[in-house]
Amino acid sequence: MTDGQPLSPLPGQVEMVDLFAGPGGLDVAAHWLGVSVAGIEWDEDACRTRMNAGLQTKHGDVRFSKPADYPEARILSGGPPCQTFTVAGHGAGRRALDKVLSFVDVIAPGDEVGEGEQKPGSPEIVEELALLDDERTGLVLEPLRWAVDAGVPYDAIVLEQVPAVLPVWEAFAVALEKRGYSVDCGILHTEEFGVPQTRRRAILIARRSGEANLPKPTHRRYYKGKAREEGDPDLLPWKTMGEALGLSDRFTVVSNYGTGGDPKARGERLSTQPAFTVTGKVSRNRLVGRPKGMPDRFTDYEAGKLQTFPPDYPWSGRGIAQQIGNAIPPRLAAHVLAAALGKELDVVALDKCVEQRWKDTRNGVDGLLKDAAKS
């Protein structure tokens, strides 16, 4: 696999480099916003999807790239691998969390490194990271290395990951604030931004100019047993699976996971509710009550739609369900990137982005961005 064909930046665009870019959740959102982006991704199958989508891609390990490779990039983004930080993984990240946090001050000690202190990227740090139970755990520190090593500070930084990584983002926030950034981080619920699934993500936004703020919800949060019509009247109702998939016939999703670890107590959601979190095992969820002739599992197309990827997104290679589950929903990413630019999104225009073909939106959508409302 070779590097993807670079896309020509449009006039006035802000350049962005996306670390651990996956199949392109952040990149799709960047294109909707008219932002030219280059992604770095090591997984060959995700790279195939990206290249077929026309996303500028470097196939390789983030650790062997550096900010100087992308001198025009003014935005840094990324979602490092999360497997070792999740409940589903072996827990190496949780056991090593204190160790990872201790590296933050070493990588970003402040404006200057004191005598006898380890410098960012020193062999000693590299060796210690290599001793972690799972080498993927240390990858979460790569965005901070990029922020520190950049010759000219990035205008904005956007990071996303599973909620368990929030303590790392909070440590990053302290380090970045010492380097002149305004930072905000926290947990966002995807259904509060129009994504038809309940999924939580730990988000960090850092800005050099202006105050950093996480985006404000546009939709109501989903609560079991609570009707869509209930809640803040100023917010839109959460989106349903049926809406997202364009299906009027009702069906039930039976989760692959058992409540409380009991496989017999599997959770269920109706098509009139948001989906469970779309993971790499989304194809294992059973669909009950679908019309005759329709599959009893979500197709890759349907899983992609529940993640708010365009309907014609060219999923390619192997492990497509895993690619889809690993990605940040583009709709959420659009809100986060807009906030990093000090802007808000027009929800109606964003609906069209999600519904329209990728080939019709990849060069930007007029009227999508608007000035942030003053609180």
Side-chain angles (χ1 to χ4, degrees):
M1 179 81 64
T2 58
D3 288 359
Q5 180 66 31
L7 299 174
S8 298
L10 297 177
Q13 284 186 325
V14 179
E15 297 283 339
M16 176 174 121
V17 59
D18 186 17
L19 312 181
F20 312 101
L26 275 162
D27 304 58
V28 167
H31 277 268
W32 287 346
L33 272 56
V35 175
S36 178
V37 56
I40 304 174
E41 173 57 42
W42 75 272
D43 181 72
E44 184 171 344
D45 296 304
C47 285
R48 291 189 186 281
T49 294
R50 294 178 57 84
M51 292 179 68
N52 286 332
L55 298 175
Q56 185 174 339
T57 303
K58 179 178 181 180
H59 179 213
D61 191 323
V62 166
R63 292 172 292 185
F64 302 133
S65 294
K66 56 188 181 300
D69 297 335
Y70 303 88
E72 297 182 3
R74 304 305 333 125
I75 301 174
L76 175 69
S77 66
C82 70
Q83 290 90 338
T84 62
F85 289 89
T86 63
V87 174
H90 295 294
R94 297 192 301 278
R95 292 193 299 272
L97 180 59
D98 289 341
K99 190 69 173 177
V100 168
L101 294 176
S102 73
F103 284 125
V104 172
D105 290 335
V106 177
I107 293 174
D111 293 333
E112 297 182 2
V113 179
E115 184 177 353
E117 293 182 354
Q118 296 175 340
K119 295 182 179 181
S122 69
E124 293 86 351
I125 296 175
V126 174
E127 289 176 6
E128 288 190 63
L129 288 174
L131 293 176
L132 293 173
D133 291 347
D134 190 318
E135 67 173 2
R136 294 174 299 180
T137 302
L139 292 175
V140 75
L141 296 165
E142 281 299 301
L144 184 60
R145 175 180 72 84
W146 278 65
V148 170
D149 288 351
V152 177
Y154 293 104
D155 294 336
I157 299 173
V158 170
L159 303 176
E160 64 88 20
Q161 208 24 275
V162 295
V165 178
L166 184 60
V168 180
W169 290 171
E170 291 171 339
F172 278 20
V174 174
L176 291 171
E177 286 169 350
K178 292 178 180 178
R179 307 181 86 83
Y181 286 92
S182 170
V183 187
D184 193 13
C185 59
I187 305 296
L188 297 185
H189 294 248
T190 59
E191 77 272 20
E192 291 188 305
F193 297 90
V195 179
Q197 66 171 293
T198 51
R199 182 188 191 103
R200 298 187 306 142
R201 303 303 283 179
I203 303 293
L204 177 146
I205 293 176
R207 300 183 66 199
R208 289 285 294 184
S209 176
E211 185 177 356
N213 290 294
L214 295 178
K216 297 177 181 178
T218 54
H219 294 65
R220 298 172 194 141
R221 187 178 301 182
Y222 169 79
Y223 292 98
K224 185 177 181 180
K226 193 171 184 179
R228 293 180 75 199
E229 295 73 20
E230 297 182 55
D232 190 338
D234 293 330
L235 297 177
L236 296 167
W238 33 260
K239 289 185 177 288
T240 72
M241 288 183 274
E243 281 181 308
L245 301 179
L247 300 175
S248 57
D249 294 307
R250 294 194 176 192
F251 58 88
T252 301
V253 179
V254 180
S255 173
N256 175 58
Y257 298 99
T259 302
D262 181 0
K264 295 182 180 179
R266 300 186 188 279
E268 295 185 0
R269 290 272 178 92
L270 301 176
S271 56
T272 52
Q273 298 171 315
F276 294 107
T277 299
V278 174
T279 70
K281 296 180 175 59
V282 62
S283 60
R284 297 185 183 180
N285 294 341
R286 290 191 301 112
L287 307 182
V288 179
R290 296 248 275 192
K292 186 176 181 180
M294 293 192 71
D296 63 355
R297 298 288 192 275
F298 284 125
T299 64
D300 293 336
Y301 162 82
E302 291 173 326
K305 286 290 291 177
L306 294 176
Q307 279 278 61
T308 67
F309 277 89
D312 62 337
Y313 203 65
W315 300 105
S316 307
R318 301 162 299 177
I320 291 177
Q322 192 66 52
Q323 292 183 48
I324 294 171
N326 285 347
I328 181 174
R331 184 174 185 125
L332 175 64
H335 279 283
V336 174
L337 287 174
L341 296 172
K343 301 285 186 178
E344 290 182 358
L345 297 177
D346 183 285
V347 176
V348 174
L350 185 57
D351 283 340
K352 293 180 179 178
C353 286
V354 175
E355 295 164 1
Q356 288 181 315
R357 296 176 301 178
W358 171 234
K359 70 176 187 177
D360 295 330
T361 60
R362 55 170 286 179
N363 290 325
V365 178
D366 292 336
L368 182 56
L369 285 174
K370 59 183 181 180
D371 292 333
K374 294 182 180 180
S375 58

